Amino acid sequence: MLAEHGNISVGIDLGRDYSQIAFCSKSDRAPLMVMQSEEEKEENDYLIRTPVDLFSLVERKDARGVEVLYQFLKECFALLKGAGSVEHMTVMVTMHEMKGIWADVIRTAFLKLGIPSSAIFLQGHLESFYAYLMNQKKELLTYHVALLEYERDCITAWHFWLERKTKPVLAKTEKCFRLYLDNKARKGRGDEEWGILRDSLLHKNLEKMFENTPFSAVYLVGREFEGEWMDKSFRFLCRKRRSFRGDNLYTMGACYAAMEENGATACKDTLYLSDDMIQHNLGMWMEIRGQEGYYPLVNAGINWYMARHTCEFLLGDEKEVVIYSRTVRGEEMEHTLALSQLPDRPRRATRLRLDISFTAPDRCRVRAEDLGLGELYPSSGKIWEANISLS
């Protein structure tokens, strides 16, 4: 049934202990959470156990991490068997923090699964939460919005707001506090006493956070927020503002973001200022259809782990590749990759493949490969690489 509607948007929250999946067809208005069985449906539980060794393998850069993730994704997408072929899905993967090693492993695993690279998108939890917010009722964004996450004995609080005086409207986020509630803080207290202390500590931090800033909504993420221990804090949060609790907000947000990539929803008038966002435009000057012109390589405004570009071109008399960067504030820099020991060939008899990727928002990796030109000028196999700082 779903396949009749065209492309399917899929959001995956890849967690260290548990993962979640949401999907949406183009005819649907909101994502639907995926469950493993009818029994779990009765329990209202969307958690899918993440392989216990996945994170340790990937973070150790063990090659087996790709295979473990591929098998896990294969099992997850089996739950979407009614949605049609994976080749027609757009997927957004979200994590607590998207790092370069994870970006590479996720892409490789999805390619093995049969999803093309053009349909694979990545983001962190905060950006997924932003996507979720932008698809809720507008009145919830009248003022600031608070996000409280309780994970691994720690509560972290952020606030989101919109700068409406700019075009496009800028969505901003800022961390307000981090409260550690581990065994060191507990000091052997019993459950009741510890609950009262936790509530008191959280309440003090919330009062400071909310003191001079109006909030229209608060979102709580984490199962540790369940129960009655935070009675005082919860009453404070609900005072003249809407409060919500849920453990699937990042998954839903990732699915909304996938829907936007699919053209099913849009936040075109708003730009989210992520710490992962590239602040530079990269390009080259070259001859295009007989005329000197600017060829863009990477545009500012995307997350660094999504910034990739590959192109091929013929060299003239040059023995180097020159890349120009320009910040969103207009500052320009020139970066040169010397093609040492390049074979001596006539003008326009050397075809070069250029690969651009990023290792950080302000660090670019450039790789050039000599492809030669047909049988007359075979490739030398030479490769030149450089890491460019854009700071």
Side-chain angles (χ1 to χ4, degrees), residues 59-106:
E59 290 167 359
R60 294 200 313 264
K61 298 184 178 180
D62 191 316
R64 291 175 294 171
V66 172
E67 182 62 24
V68 172
L69 180 58
Y70 162 67
Q71 293 296 337
F72 176 59
L73 292 174
K74 189 176 180 181
E75 294 173 6
C76 290
F77 274 75
L79 302 173
L80 288 168
K81 57 187 177 182
S85 173
V86 294
E87 291 90 344
H88 301 110
M89 293 182 181
T90 298
V91 181
M92 178 68 76
V93 180
T94 186
M95 297 181 67
H96 179 73
E97 182 182 3
M98 187 61 68
K99 297 180 180 179
I101 181 61
W102 274 105
D104 293 338
V105 169
I106 290 169

Side-chain angles (χ1 to χ4, degrees), residues 112-138:
K112 289 186 65 175
L113 196 65
I115 295 179
S117 58
S118 60
I120 303 169
F121 298 90
L122 313 170
Q123 62 184 201
H125 274 174
L126 292 183
E127 191 166 2
S128 295
F129 180 69
Y130 155 74
Y132 177 83
L133 276 182
M134 297 306 294
N135 285 277
Q136 305 307 302
K137 294 180 179 179
K138 291 183 179 180

Side-chain angles (χ1 to χ4, degrees), residues 2-8 25-26 83 88:
L2 290 173
E4 296 176 2
H5 302 303
N7 286 354
I8 302 299
S25 71
K26 281 192 173 181
H88 301 110

Side-chain angles (χ1 to χ4, degrees), residues 224-241:
E224 285 290 337
F225 282 124
E226 294 177 352
E228 300 179 358
W229 67 268
M230 57 175 294
D231 178 63
K232 186 178 181 181
S233 298
F234 192 71
R235 281 189 282 110
F236 173 82
L237 290 174
C238 293
R239 194 179 303 159
K240 297 182 181 180
R241 59 185 72 91

Side-chain angles (χ1 to χ4, degrees), residues 68-245:
V68 172
L69 180 58
Y70 162 67
Q71 293 296 337
F72 176 59
L73 292 174
K74 189 176 180 181
E75 294 173 6
C76 290
F77 274 75
L79 302 173
L80 288 168
K81 57 187 177 182
S85 173
V86 294
E87 291 90 344
H88 301 110
M89 293 182 181
T90 298
V91 181
M92 178 68 76
V93 180
T94 186
M95 297 181 67
H96 179 73
E97 182 182 3
M98 187 61 68
K99 297 180 180 179
I101 181 61
W102 274 105
D104 293 338
V105 169
I106 290 169
R107 286 192 186 95
T108 304
F110 271 113
L111 289 172
K112 289 186 65 175
L113 196 65
I115 295 179
S117 58
S118 60
I120 303 169
F121 298 90
L122 313 170
Q123 62 184 201
H125 274 174
L126 292 183
E127 191 166 2
S128 295
F129 180 69
Y130 155 74
Y132 177 83
L133 276 182
M134 297 306 294
N135 285 277
Q136 305 307 302
K137 294 180 179 179
K138 291 183 179 180
E139 54 263 32
L140 296 176
L141 279 163
T142 302
Y143 304 113
H144 289 231
V145 173
L147 170 65
L148 274 64
E149 180 185 81
Y150 199 155
E151 184 181 55
R152 294 179 177 268
D153 298 327
C154 177
I155 296 177
T156 309
W158 295 269
H159 71 124
F160 289 73
W161 72 98
L162 298 179
E163 290 283 358
R164 293 186 170 89
K165 296 180 181 180
T166 62
K167 283 191 176 182
V169 174
L170 298 179
K172 296 184 178 182
T173 180
E174 182 179 300
K175 184 185 293 183
C176 296
F177 67 82
R178 178 168 285 173
L179 176 63
Y180 291 94
L181 299 172
D182 51 14
N183 288 330
K184 184 177 180 180
R186 182 167 181 165
K187 294 181 179 179
R189 293 180 176 85
D191 290 346
E192 184 176 352
E193 185 182 1
W194 175 230
I196 294 173
L197 178 59
R198 274 196 298 175
D199 192 15
S200 176
L201 292 172
L202 177 57
H203 182 255
K204 288 180 181 179
N205 279 274
L206 291 173
E207 281 188 318
K208 185 177 181 180
M209 174 179 172
F210 285 59
E211 186 175 14
N212 297 311
T213 305
F215 284 82
S216 49
V218 180
Y219 290 84
L220 307 175
V221 177
R223 295 201 167 192
E224 285 290 337
F225 282 124
E226 294 177 352
E228 300 179 358
W229 67 268
M230 57 175 294
D231 178 63
K232 186 178 181 181
S233 298
F234 192 71
R235 281 189 282 110
F236 173 82
L237 290 174
C238 293
R239 194 179 303 159
K240 297 182 181 180
R241 59 185 72 91
R242 301 283 301 278
S243 295
F244 307 89
R245 202 201 74 79

Side-chain angles (χ1 to χ4, degrees), residues 1-10 23-32 83 88-90 255 258-265:
M1 289 293 293
L2 290 173
E4 296 176 2
H5 302 303
N7 286 354
I8 302 299
S9 303
V10 180
F23 71 94
C24 189
S25 71
K26 281 192 173 181
S27 64
D28 294 326
R29 294 186 178 181
L32 299 173
H88 301 110
M89 293 182 181
T90 298
C255 191
M259 291 167 66
E260 183 177 350
E261 298 294 344
N262 242 347
T265 183

